[in-house]
Amino acid sequence: MSEEKDIETTAAFYGQLFNSSKYVLLVVLIATAIGLYVLPNINAIYAVIILLALTLLKIGFIIALSFNQLMKIIGQSHLLSHVLVLFGFLIVLIVLSFAIDYTALHFIDSAHFKINNSSGSNGLLAFFDMSYFSLITFSSVGYGDIVPITVTAKTLVALEVALRFFVLVFGIANVNRIRVNK
């Protein structure tokens, strides 16, 4: 067996996925802390610039994770169940990551979004609204009850849509190299 762990077994796959994801999760956690606790307390222009930089950093880590993990799955296990777990993990990671970014932007200045029928303005309710918005944006439904107003908010939405497009298209492009479990 090579130095790289064989991910044919489910236990090895989950161990390898967690091991590869730890840096991405660490970046997301640090960006969350900065976005929710530091940025609302500094100058709005600087806060927006830092938020966009943190978002781009997270996107880079998520793209690297998806590319590396999919290549390992295709190269070693070829199992559809492993690909589905990877994409489920990536979807949850993307939706929650952008929900946190939208919440931080909302905390910086609530004028970034027009929200009809808001659940509330406290932290947890605002996060719920922005999680809902992120999920609706990711699924490309777009009900219109939460609308990005500023260029910054629209940029974050465009980045989420672009990341969703990249992850899903990259996965679909490699689907012919995956075998179905029997």
Side-chain angles (χ1 to χ4, degrees):
M1 189 183 274
S2 67
E3 266 186 40
E4 214 171 272
K5 192 182 256 186
D6 182 18
I7 62 170
E8 183 73 32
T9 65
T10 301
F13 167 73
Y14 285 115
Q16 194 271 333
L17 177 62
F18 176 74
N19 193 37
S20 297
S21 303
K22 63 185 173 189
Y23 297 113
V24 176
L25 295 173
L26 182 64
V27 167
V28 169
L29 287 174
I30 291 170
T32 298
I34 292 170
L36 296 179
Y37 299 108
V38 176
L39 296 184
N41 298 316
I42 64 174
N43 184 310
I45 293 172
Y46 296 127
V48 165
I49 292 169
I50 293 168
L51 179 63
L52 288 173
L54 289 172
T55 301
L56 290 173
L57 179 69
K58 289 190 296 186
I59 287 172
F61 273 88
I62 291 170
I63 288 173
L65 175 69
S66 62
F67 179 76
N68 292 336
Q69 284 301 117
L70 190 57
M71 289 298 107
K72 285 179 182 177
I73 291 169
I74 290 171
Q76 294 179 18
S77 78
H78 303 287
L79 295 177
L80 179 60
S81 61
H82 290 175
V83 173
L84 293 176
V85 167
L86 173 63
F87 280 101
F89 176 71
L90 289 171
I91 289 168
V92 169
L93 184 64
I94 292 167
V95 168
L96 287 178
S97 176
F98 275 93
I100 291 164
D101 292 343
Y102 298 141
T103 304
L105 189 60
H106 182 71
F107 285 169
I108 292 168
D109 185 359
S110 61
H112 288 287
F113 296 96
K114 177 183 165 203
I115 303 175
N116 298 330
N117 302 323
S118 175
S119 298
S121 61
N122 77 23
L124 192 56
L125 293 175
F127 178 70
F128 176 77
D129 281 341
M130 293 302 141
S131 297
Y132 162 80
F133 176 67
S134 181
L135 183 63
I136 296 304
T137 300
F138 188 89
S139 66
S140 69
V141 173
Y143 292 122
D145 53 345
I146 301 175
V147 180
I149 300 297
T150 64
V151 172
T152 305
K154 291 175 183 178
T155 301
L156 283 176
V157 169
L159 288 171
E160 182 176 10
V161 170
L163 183 58
R164 177 209 59 183
F165 179 78
F166 171 80
V167 168
L168 294 180
V169 167
F170 184 70
I172 292 169
N174 290 290
V175 77
N176 64 337
R177 300 185 338 189
I178 300 165
R179 73 172 187 234
V180 178
N181 302 2
K182 292 187 179 184

